[in-house]
Amino acid sequence: MSQWTWQPSPQQIEATNLSRFMSRLGFEDLQSFLDWSVAEPESFWDECTKECGIRWFQPYTHVLDDSRGPQWSQWFVNGTTNIAYNCLDGHQGLAIVAETEDGSATEVTFDELRDETSRLASYLLSLGLESGDRVALVMPMTPGVVAILYACFRLGLVVVPIFSGFGEQAIWTRLADSGARLVITVESIARRGKTVAVHSKVAEAIKRGTNVQNVVLYSWGALGTIRDIPDAELPSEAVAFILYTSGTTGKPKGVVHTHAGCLAQMAKEIFFAFDHKPEDRFWWLSDIGWMMGPWKIIGNHTLGGTIFLYDGAPDYPSPDRLWQMLERHRITTFGISPTAIRLLMKDSKPERFALKALRILGSTGEPWDDTSWQWFFEEVGGSRCPIINISGGTEIVGSFLTCLPVQPLKPCSLGQPAPGIATDIVDENGVSVRGQMGYLVCKKPCPSMTRGVWNNSQRYLDTYWSRFPGWWNHGDWASTDEDGVWYVHGRADESMNVAGRKVGPAEIEEALIEHPAVTEAAVIGVPDSVKGEGIVAFVVLQRQVDQRDLTAHVVKTMGPTFRPNAIEIVAELPKTQSGKIVRRLIRQRYLGEPLGDSSTVANPAALDLIRPPSGS
């Protein structure tokens, strides 16, 4: 049993936003408060939105309508609001501090951000865009991307954020599926002192066939004129985002999120889990294509907070780059993925820098290991900052599980179910279990659950609601220890978590099959000491080709994050009688694990072609 590593003092507990909220509601005990938040979700979310200061043009008449079942729940019924209205109007002071890879720093006030948002909104209107149209962003993490988000939200446009490091096919898949009419991007970005083209990738993606009518190259202050364009008064269920996440088969899923759902969940987490204070400077190392990018922007700006953005490599020009910026910009809250820490702990020296402004650390994206968690806690946080580890996903733009600043922490732990979230761990039969690994489920809806998969309602139901009818199945393994502390252990399905980014095997396989030498491909995830999970591919060829060419093709198509650890050439792939590739058995064979039942394999000799890596 792990020991408690961090213990808040009574004074620290009393000073938290969560403690004051509990006191206002009459709760002295954390567990009683958490139990109430799950048992009475309508009361909890009503009080939560008030405490976080979320504003409405038209107040909602009731919190939840689940008359069509939990899968199609509607929240804050009859209310009207807008993310831009909440994140911009009425706030003063510093909105953004930003730095680029070359060291240039910028500060943007809320007044300046409002002006740029107004320019962009007037420009978007001039293009003939209408409420509900999709606008894709293939942008680096700069102040401009924040203004673009708010300009789109102001007009009721639906934002499709796309990671600027993706390759052509990955960009095309998301453009084509979303039906985006407009793409906003930049000519290039700087990485490790080199220029990396972005616009040309977008142009090549569009050539494959999309609904895109315009591609706009963005620079601050260059588009539109400042006009007084009011925020659209949108229904609470109006779509704000289509965010793409992995699928084990087929294309990535475009999960749909609403204005009110995003505001409620993101503000709740920043305010309570990360204990937002007016003087905070909040930095989560992320890009706009990962949900943590919009999450930190909207969550902090709803509260009038200051965010820090960095556009560049985390270890350039030296491994200490992040610690230099933490010191230089007096960052108070810093979030990062375990993969990034595993990379940085090899060569960087955070103890060389004055990081006394830090008061809270954060992490998400993948499971921790004890060594890297302790290094983050001790070397970066000086053993005085709690690591608020959160686990949820793109599908809920927030957390199912979270640590809280009012409770003691253990290494690698996730605390417990987040306030207002009815999370449980169940076995194959849906029976609650403790002290053993089980499936992470959510037994009641919450405001930020995706409203579906874009243009594919059946896929939404099949993915999240079919395994345990009436409950959300998140696809993660989870467990609790003897003290009731929760942990997540990775995916229970075949999707992979590479450096904190979920990707389905089918998307990598599709990229490989696009190579003219490849006829079939199977992709599995394997343990990786740095990325957490790495990619190994097995391919059947119709002509000889160097594996390095195949690797380069995957990098060009999907982006460097998804570079395979290995590509193995085989004569055939093991399949069922119906032709389905048995990835589970391939993985077990490759890792030298017992195969278990392999009776469904129609060509068992093909399993013998799967060899464990040399030296294993």
Side-chain angles (χ1 to χ4, degrees), residues 55 75 95 112 142 157 185 191 256 267 271 289 299 404 502 504 514 557:
R55 294 176 294 168
W75 289 83
E112 292 167 332
T142 60
L157 302 173
T185 187
R191 288 297 180 271
V256 177
F271 193 66
L404 293 169
K502 287 200 298 182
E514 277 203 345
T557 303

Side-chain angles (χ1 to χ4, degrees), residues 352-545:
R352 295 174 178 171
F353 301 90
L355 307 182
K356 294 182 179 179
L358 276 176
R359 65 183 192 90
I360 290 182
L361 301 175
S363 71
T364 192
E366 59 190 301
W368 279 99
D369 60 273
D370 280 359
T371 300
S372 54
W373 190 97
Q374 288 283 6
W375 187 89
F376 187 37
F377 177 71
E378 295 169 3
E379 301 299 325
V380 180
S383 299
R384 60 181 180 78
C385 302
I387 299 177
I388 304 300
N389 193 16
I390 59 178
S391 182
T394 302
E395 298 92 337
I396 66 162
V397 288
S399 308
F400 283 121
L401 305 174
T402 184
C403 299
L404 293 169
V406 298
Q407 62 184 163
L409 300 179
K410 292 185 177 185
C412 309
S413 72
L414 283 150
Q416 71 288 299
I421 309 294
T423 317
D424 199 359
I425 303 170
V426 301
D427 64 14
E428 292 277 350
N429 300 312
V431 177
S432 294
V433 295
R434 294 295 183 269
Q436 68 184 66
M437 197 178 299
Y439 296 93
L440 184 68
V441 300
C442 191
K443 293 183 172 180
K444 293 182 181 180
C446 69
S448 65
M449 280 180 173
T450 176
R451 298 310 193 266
V453 172
W454 185 253
N455 287 333
N456 198 333
S457 297
Q458 191 58 50
R459 190 179 183 195
Y460 162 66
L461 296 173
D462 291 344
T463 301
Y464 301 109
W465 298 97
S466 64
R467 179 66 180 81
F468 302 102
W471 298 346
W472 175 285
N473 175 33
H474 196 55
D476 280 343
W477 293 117
S479 69
T480 60
D481 70 8
E482 296 89 335
D483 293 316
V485 176
W486 290 54
Y487 300 84
V488 166
H489 305 282
R491 299 298 294 171
D493 58 23
E494 291 178 332
S495 63
M496 299 167 292
N497 195 333
V498 181
R501 291 190 169 279
K502 287 200 298 182
V503 64
E507 194 170 7
I508 308 294
E509 290 163 359
E510 184 179 349
L512 283 162
I513 292 169
E514 277 203 345
H515 192 286
V518 178
T519 58
E520 290 185 301
V523 166
I524 61 170
V526 299
D528 185 287
S529 61
V530 173
K531 295 181 178 180
E533 195 164 17
I535 294 169
V536 173
F538 300 86
V539 297
V540 178
L541 302 179
Q542 60 182 352
R543 62 174 174 80
Q544 290 300 309
V545 66

Side-chain angles (χ1 to χ4, degrees), residues 186-256:
V186 292
E187 189 66 48
S188 60
I189 57 177
R191 288 297 180 271
R192 303 187 188 282
K194 298 179 180 179
T195 300
V196 179
V198 178
H199 178 221
S200 61
K201 290 190 299 183
V202 172
E204 289 300 315
I206 290 172
K207 288 179 182 178
R208 296 173 179 235
T210 68
N211 288 335
V212 174
Q213 298 173 0
N214 291 288
V215 177
V216 173
L217 292 176
Y218 174 81
S219 62
W220 185 276
L223 299 173
T225 57
I226 299 176
R227 291 171 52 196
D228 186 17
I229 298 171
D231 296 308
E233 298 188 15
L234 301 173
S236 62
E237 290 287 306
V239 177
F241 283 111
I242 301 172
L243 297 172
Y244 281 87
T245 187
S246 66
T248 58
T249 59
K251 297 178 179 179
K253 302 183 296 290
V255 293
V256 177

